[in-house]
Amino acid sequence: MSGRGRPSKLRAFLDILAFHAVTACLGFLRRLGPVRASNFAASVARIIGMRLPVCRVADRNLRQAFPEMTAATRRATIAKVWDTLGRNVGELAHLAQLRETATGPGWEMVGRDNLPPGQAIFFSAHFGNWEMVLPIASQLGRAVSGFYRPASNVVMDGVIMAQRSAALEPGVTMFPKGARGARAALTHLVSGGSLGLLVDQKMNDGIAAPFFGRMAMTAPAAAQFALRFGLPLVPIRVERLGPARLRMVCEPALDVPRSGDRQADVYALTVAMNATIERWVTADPGSWLWLHKRWPKEPANPA
């Protein structure tokens, strides 16, 4: 047997192993039910997450964004970040079952009157349970499609996408990030659909806009789409009220500038989006994903 074939066979074996492991985990979470699955995954995430080196990234981000925050408060905030992330994972197996309800597992809504009657560009952040943004929009009868970043493991990506897709109504699609996904999104908008975008992660080819007092590379796509198609740009977020209990908050659309200088208008809207997300995060820091490197590294102090 050629040595060339062994790595590919090993990769295939590991992919099969990963598939069965992830499928088994999701099956276990489904059997627990939404509340117990949320609680279980949160406990595991806190125990493991608080021991990972990425907590140093979160601590550095918090020190820069909230210089007055004590070390104990930063640690408690990071623990809540892991709690939030774990609950989102635990609830992933139940996305399709979380419906609008007055109590118990499910979601409620604030700001329903702020929903535009027709097409719109909705923007949000990795805040609360962001995985429920599109499922809730779908249940509200809105053809709101969005983007996703494929997982590095193809098998894992397929399993996660299957959970997301099961919670969406027909006509709602998730486009992969990149040129192909952007073309598909344009076609979706031309055909009368709406888009929902998470705009809070670092984008190296984005534009620099202030966020917590520092310039952060920010994706301008939401602003560009709103200006190009003349659509309202609407802030939405999904707050966590408890295990598998969520609240969709829809705020009034941002004022879309029409100065005639497209570049300036895109920048102004991007600044407004960052300011909106900064307001959410300031009100509840533990609900935002502080674990990623949102800002460029600080320059080293001169000797």
Side-chain angles (χ1 to χ4, degrees), residues 240-264:
R240 177 171 299 286
L241 302 180
R245 183 68 196 167
L246 308 165
R247 176 191 288 144
M248 165 74 87
V249 179
C250 181
E251 298 184 355
L254 300 182
D255 291 330
V256 177
R258 298 287 180 183
S259 70
D261 183 335
R262 181 177 175 79
Q263 186 174 358

Side-chain angles (χ1 to χ4, degrees), residues 34 87-99 107 129-133 135-136 139 160 162-168 246:
R87 291 188 185 281
N88 290 357
V89 172
E91 292 160 9
L92 187 65
H94 301 278
L95 289 185
Q97 285 72 51
L98 295 178
R99 316 295 290 188
W107 57 272
N129 190 339
W130 59 87
E131 291 285 358
M132 278 298 293
V133 169
I136 291 175
Q139 291 178 37
I160 293 173
Q163 299 303 307
R164 290 168 171 162
S165 299
L168 302 177
L246 308 165

Side-chain angles (χ1 to χ4, degrees), residues 28-234:
F28 171 70
L29 292 170
R30 287 193 198 97
R31 290 192 295 274
L32 287 179
V35 172
R36 291 171 63 198
S38 179
N39 288 336
F40 173 80
S43 297
V44 172
R46 286 195 305 269
I47 292 169
I48 296 175
M50 292 301 287
R51 291 167 169 78
L52 297 180
V54 71
C55 289
R56 291 196 290 269
V57 174
D59 187 74
R60 181 171 63 248
N61 287 339
L62 283 165
R63 281 189 282 112
Q64 292 171 339
F66 300 108
E68 75 288 351
M69 187 179 283
T70 66
T73 303
R74 291 198 305 271
R75 182 170 178 80
T77 300
I78 296 169
K80 185 177 177 181
V81 170
W82 284 111
D83 183 279
T84 296
L85 189 56
R87 291 188 185 281
N88 290 357
V89 172
E91 292 160 9
L92 187 65
H94 301 278
L95 289 185
Q97 285 72 51
L98 295 178
R99 316 295 290 188
E100 186 172 12
T101 62
T103 60
W107 57 272
E108 60 190 61
M109 186 168 185
V110 172
R112 196 183 299 259
D113 291 345
N114 292 324
L115 282 171
Q119 273 184 285
I121 305 297
F122 299 92
F123 75 91
S124 192
H126 291 82
F127 184 94
N129 190 339
W130 59 87
E131 291 285 358
M132 278 298 293
V133 169
L134 293 187
I136 291 175
S138 183
Q139 291 178 37
L140 290 171
R142 309 298 295 254
V144 182
S145 295
F147 290 90
Y148 73 97
R149 186 188 303 276
S152 55
N153 184 290
V154 176
V155 174
M156 185 81 74
D157 183 65
V159 174
I160 293 173
M161 285 305 299
Q163 299 303 307
R164 290 168 171 162
S165 299
L168 302 177
E169 300 294 330
V172 179
T173 308
M174 295 195 73
F175 308 115
K177 288 191 174 181
R180 182 168 62 90
R183 289 193 296 270
L186 281 172
T187 301
H188 177 72
L189 287 171
V190 169
S191 64
S194 298
L195 283 180
L197 297 94
L198 300 177
V199 299
D200 59 326
Q201 286 196 316
K202 182 180 179 182
M203 184 176 183
N204 290 331
D205 56 349
I207 59 178
F211 188 54
F212 280 99
R214 301 174 62 208
M215 301 305 284
M217 297 304 291
T218 306
Q224 291 169 340
F225 284 138
L227 287 165
R228 176 171 177 175
F229 290 90
L231 298 177
L233 185 59
V234 183

